[in-house]
Amino acid sequence: MAEERDPSFTILEYTGDHSAHKCGYCKSVAGSFSHGMWAHRMAVGDYQDLIDRGWRRSGKYCYKPTMNRTCCPLYTIRCDASEIRLTKGQKKVLKRVHRYLSHGDIKPEGGKIPDNEQCVSPTGNQEYVKPKFDTTKDLSMVSVSPAAIKNAKGTCTASAREPNCSISGEVLPVDGSVDSNSHSQNSGKVIQPVRGNDTRNLSPKSPHQVAGPDPSKPPCRKSKLIRLERREAKLAKRREEASSRGESLMEVTKSKSSNNTPKSLEDFLNEPLPESPAHKLEVKLVRSHPGSMGFVQTFGIAHKVYQKYQINIHGDSPDRCSESQFRRFLCNSPLEPWHPGCGPLSGYGSFHHQYWLDDRLIAVGVLDILPHCVSSVYLYYDPEFSFLSLGTYASLRELALTRELQRTAAALKWYYMGFYIHSCPKMRYKGNYSPSFLLCPETYIWVPIEKATPKLDLAEYSRLNEDTSARDYYGEVDLNRIKILYDQDLILYEMYQRLNPKGDDEDEVKEYASLVGAKSAHSMVLYRG
């Protein structure tokens, strides 16, 4: 059966701004450098490729630290959720939460409340990045026809161009037809994919493209998937029963191995509660873009918790955590939802992971669920419950969520924790989740953190890959294959240069291509005003 393709596509607006800004870690006034671009809309597969090259998003703004220039290099870190090994401290946090839910006990072991593993700063949250620029256009509703690019070389003349894009948000398919499979399941809008030169799932050396599914035929469904759906229905019933008893909605997984086998993460999370527990904890996953009913109904409550967190934990003023700012950076997302038949039941896209204690919202984890990972965007919580070490507890719940999603999406095994900053001791806690890997900033190869940290002890910036012959596999980019959205038309860069002979942005386009890599550069669409 042909691989199922995501019908979404990506439109980015890149800025070549190289100005320095204040560092949130070492407090250097002008020591932090990064590259930025605005994502008007983005396919989840494209974002997966970008974070695997050191990019990260804050709202619709995507940024990549300039690793060899910035004062505190930020290394992308991920943990293999399928092989998670709990530390003694993490087990203590899980036990502390269980004691609180069971008996209302808030006294920590040893009589001391541990750090909640959040880097507290009087100048605000360091990982909360403000865009260096604001886009002047909204291209989120642009629709692109399948025949937007006629050939890979882009040799068509300006007179032969067809109107391939609609800035108004209407769909203008070239052949006048509309594929029913291209309807978004959540928004109801028609999305036409870029097909002409899509290399999202191909190696740069691949000579042929893989054909997508036949839209005239119903999608094939494997027997394995049907069995999984039946199993999920049974598990849903068990979750409902667990909820009525005040237990977590996480699937109860009982260990069948000998008593000598360490308890799994699920064993700790689903430790049975007393018949009449002191507290009830419920964890809900709600889609934030487009907002589901559960997200919309709890938006005001979530914003109040966020505001309380920012003011008390990070010292922000009330105007810096307004409702519009909260929506812009933690609710708005460029990721287009995707619900493939072989993917997780929740689908891919942006979500809020809500923690409800006795029907009171106490914490929210902002997450992106992507083809290979769960990416943690941000976490905020009610400071009244700091004694529960919610930073650690939420990370463990997100690891458990990743493990749960992997049952229906085998490739989804990684938990991305954002950036690891070795030069900031308070931010090293992310390395406590094992096994973890850091991304080499030069070859984009993942290196076990145990091999990487000795290098970072010697130098804040380091090429982590020990193979001196290794190179950036996607480092060489054919600029002529880059798709450009220009003057409401989708064209290749070669034609863009002919239509805009006096343009002086070639160096900027080259820089963009080198930062996103060949795979992404040839898949995504770059807007040039």
Side-chain angles (χ1 to χ4, degrees):
M1 186 177 68
E3 181 181 1
E4 190 170 357
R5 291 289 191 89
D6 184 358
S8 304
F9 58 94
T10 299
I11 299 179
L12 296 170
E13 187 174 352
Y14 178 74
T15 173
D17 182 18
H18 301 123
S19 60
H21 54 275
K22 185 176 181 178
C23 176
Y25 302 99
C26 69
K27 307 302 183 292
S28 171
V29 177
S32 183
F33 294 85
S34 65
H35 302 277
M37 55 189 180
W38 193 271
H40 291 274
R41 60 182 300 164
M42 184 176 290
V44 290
D46 284 332
Y47 186 55
Q48 177 73 68
D49 294 335
L50 286 177
I51 63 175
D52 285 337
R53 289 188 67 86
W55 289 87
R56 181 168 165 82
R57 78 172 184 89
S58 179
K60 291 190 174 185
Y61 180 71
C62 298
Y63 61 99
K64 174 182 170 68
T66 310
M67 296 289 283
N68 59 352
R69 292 188 64 193
T70 194
C71 52
C72 296
L74 290 79
Y75 296 85
T76 301
I77 182 172
R78 71 180 186 181
C79 177
D80 186 348
S82 63
E83 300 293 335
I84 183 66
R85 298 188 295 269
L86 299 177
T87 66
K88 184 177 180 180
Q90 291 161 357
K91 293 177 183 178
K92 284 184 176 181
V93 170
L94 293 171
K95 292 177 181 178
R96 183 182 309 119
V97 174
H98 184 267
R99 288 198 310 272
Y100 178 72
L101 296 177
S102 299
H103 313 294
D105 183 9
I106 64 174
K107 183 179 180 180
E109 296 181 10
K112 179 182 178 182
I113 297 178
D115 294 336
N116 58 15
E117 298 186 347
Q118 297 295 322
C119 189
V120 179
S121 167
T123 58
N125 178 14
Q126 296 90 333
E127 291 194 28
Y128 197 70
V129 175
K130 182 178 180 180
K132 290 184 178 181
F133 74 104
D134 289 322
T135 181
T136 58
K137 285 184 175 291
D138 180 8
L139 306 177
S140 60
M141 299 303 295
V142 168
S143 300
V144 182
S145 70
I149 302 176
K150 290 190 174 182
N151 54 65
K153 296 181 180 179
T155 55
C156 51
T157 62
S159 60
R161 286 188 295 154
E162 297 182 19
N164 298 312
C165 302
S166 168
I167 304 295
S168 65
E170 298 179 357
V171 179
L172 302 176
V174 171
D175 58 3
S177 64
V178 176
D179 181 3
S180 60
N181 291 329
S182 65
H183 284 270
S184 169
Q185 298 184 24
N186 291 281
S187 65
K189 298 180 176 63
V190 180
I191 301 175
Q192 294 290 350
V194 178
R195 298 287 189 191
N197 203 23
D198 192 355
T199 59
R200 182 176 300 136
N201 295 316
L202 300 179
S203 164
K205 298 180 181 180
S206 300
H208 303 291
Q209 282 188 320
V210 180
D214 186 351
S216 64
K217 298 181 179 179
C220 299
R221 302 179 75 240
K222 293 184 177 180
S223 299
K224 181 179 178 181
L225 179 59
I226 297 175
R227 291 195 300 270
L228 287 172
E229 290 178 351
R230 291 174 180 171
R231 184 188 178 201
E232 285 298 327
K234 294 181 181 178
L235 292 176
K237 184 178 180 180
R238 293 175 62 187
R239 293 190 186 100
E240 184 177 353
E241 294 173 350
S243 176
S244 65
R245 297 192 300 267
E247 298 177 10
S248 167
L249 295 186
M250 189 69 63
E251 179 192 355
V252 179
T253 304
K254 296 297 182 182
S255 174
K256 297 182 180 179
S257 56
S258 66
N259 293 332
N260 294 328
T261 303
K263 292 174 66 174
S264 70
L265 174 56
E266 289 79 11
D267 289 334
F268 280 101
L269 288 173
N270 297 288
E271 189 75 24
L273 294 171
E275 185 175 347
S276 299
H279 300 285
K280 172 187 174 182
L281 177 65
E282 185 178 3
V283 182
K284 299 179 181 179
L285 184 68
V286 297
R287 183 176 288 276
S288 57
H289 175 76
S292 65
M293 182 67 69
F295 172 80
V296 174
Q297 291 176 343
T298 59
F299 177 84
I301 299 173
H303 170 250
K304 289 182 180 178
V305 176
Y306 163 77
Q307 192 173 50
K308 190 175 181 180
Y309 172 81
Q310 292 296 126
I311 293 174
N312 289 274
I313 300 297
H314 292 295
D316 283 353
S317 59
D319 62 303
R320 290 194 61 187
C321 40
S322 64
E323 185 175 297
S324 60
Q325 187 251 24
F326 169 66
R327 185 186 299 275
R328 184 180 185 188
F329 293 104
L330 293 183
C331 302
N332 291 349
S333 169
L335 299 184
E336 295 292 320
W338 184 33
H339 291 79
C342 58
L345 297 181
S346 60
Y348 299 110
S350 296
F351 298 83
H352 279 194
H353 208 207
Q354 300 179 338
Y355 297 76
W356 293 86
L357 181 67
D358 301 330
D359 298 324
R360 175 182 175 182
L361 185 63
I362 65 168
V364 177
V366 182
L367 305 175
D368 291 329
I369 298 179
L370 306 175
H372 296 152
C373 75
V374 169
S375 175
S376 175
V377 179
Y378 196 68
L379 171 75
Y380 63 92
Y381 55 85
D382 190 328
E384 290 183 28
F385 297 90
S386 294
F387 63 88
L388 292 176
S389 297
L390 290 173
T392 300
Y393 184 74
S395 293
L396 295 172
R397 292 295 304 227
E398 289 165 5
L399 278 161
L401 173 65
T402 307
R403 291 160 64 91
E404 187 177 6
L405 295 174
Q406 190 187 15
R407 286 196 294 273
T408 52
L412 205 164
K413 60 174 287 188
W414 299 100
Y415 173 55
Y416 284 55
M417 296 174 279
F419 290 129
Y420 172 85
I421 304 94
H422 194 74
S423 58
C424 180
K426 289 185 178 181
M427 295 301 291
R428 294 184 185 180
Y429 71 88
K430 295 183 180 182
N432 295 335
Y433 298 87
S434 179
S436 287
F437 303 81
L438 299 184
L439 186 67
C440 175
E442 296 182 6
T443 63
Y444 301 104
I445 299 297
W446 294 98
V447 179
I449 194 169
E450 296 81 5
K451 293 184 177 180
T453 50
K455 297 178 180 293
L456 300 180
D457 287 335
L458 300 175
E460 294 178 349
Y461 172 78
S462 175
R463 173 192 166 107
L464 303 180
N465 191 345
E466 295 179 349
D467 184 358
T468 57
S469 64
R471 61 182 181 86
D472 176 7
Y473 187 73
Y474 292 108
E476 297 181 6
V477 184
D478 181 358
L479 295 185
N480 291 330
R481 293 178 60 190
I482 296 178
K483 302 177 183 70
I484 303 293
L485 179 58
Y486 175 68
D487 193 24
Q488 300 191 21
D489 283 338
L490 187 63
I491 56 179
L492 293 180
Y493 184 70
E494 181 183 28
M495 177 183 288
Y496 167 75
Q497 285 187 307
R498 292 203 299 269
L499 297 176
N500 192 31
K502 296 183 179 180
D504 58 354
D505 59 353
E506 182 174 355
D507 290 340
E508 189 173 290
V509 174
K510 287 181 179 179
E511 181 179 73
Y512 155 81
S514 67
L515 292 171
V516 302
K519 184 178 182 182
S520 296
H522 297 157
S523 168
M524 304 185 302
V525 176
L526 177 64
Y527 169 72
R528 308 308 287 171

